[in-house]
Amino acid sequence: MAVEEIHAEMVSSVWKVLVSPGSEVSAGDTLVILESMKMEIPVLTERAGVVQELHVVEGEVLQEGDLIATVADA
């Protein structure tokens, strides 16, 4: 089973969480929206599958490289 780990690309805060563990997603779906320097940054999945784990909550401050979510093949 292939698993995609999705990491923060910059220091940001979690503005909105759009999925939960167990959610089915398609390639290109937005999982969470981050906020940095007054800009909204959608975080997308590159593969279709199921959200296995969600490692963030709304309002949390992330550092570059922090794990946001894991998505596994359905």
Side-chain angles (χ1 to χ4, degrees):
M1 171 170 45
V3 175
E4 175 188 10
E5 288 190 343
I6 300 156
H7 297 268
E9 295 182 4
M10 64 183 74
V11 175
S12 54
S13 60
V14 180
W15 183 69
K16 192 159 190 76
V17 176
L18 303 175
V19 297
S20 58
S23 297
E24 289 192 28
V25 293
S26 300
D29 280 0
T30 302
L31 304 180
V32 301
I33 300 173
L34 303 179
E35 187 274 325
S36 181
M37 298 184 297
K38 306 284 187 218
M39 295 185 347
E40 293 178 12
I41 304 151
V43 176
L44 313 177
T45 180
E46 294 180 3
R47 70 170 356 113
V50 175
V51 176
Q52 278 197 317
E53 295 179 283
L54 196 59
H55 298 273
V56 298
V57 295
E58 290 181 8
E60 182 176 355
V61 175
L62 302 178
Q63 301 300 313
E64 183 176 341
D66 284 355
L67 184 60
I68 294 173
T70 54
V71 176
D73 292 341

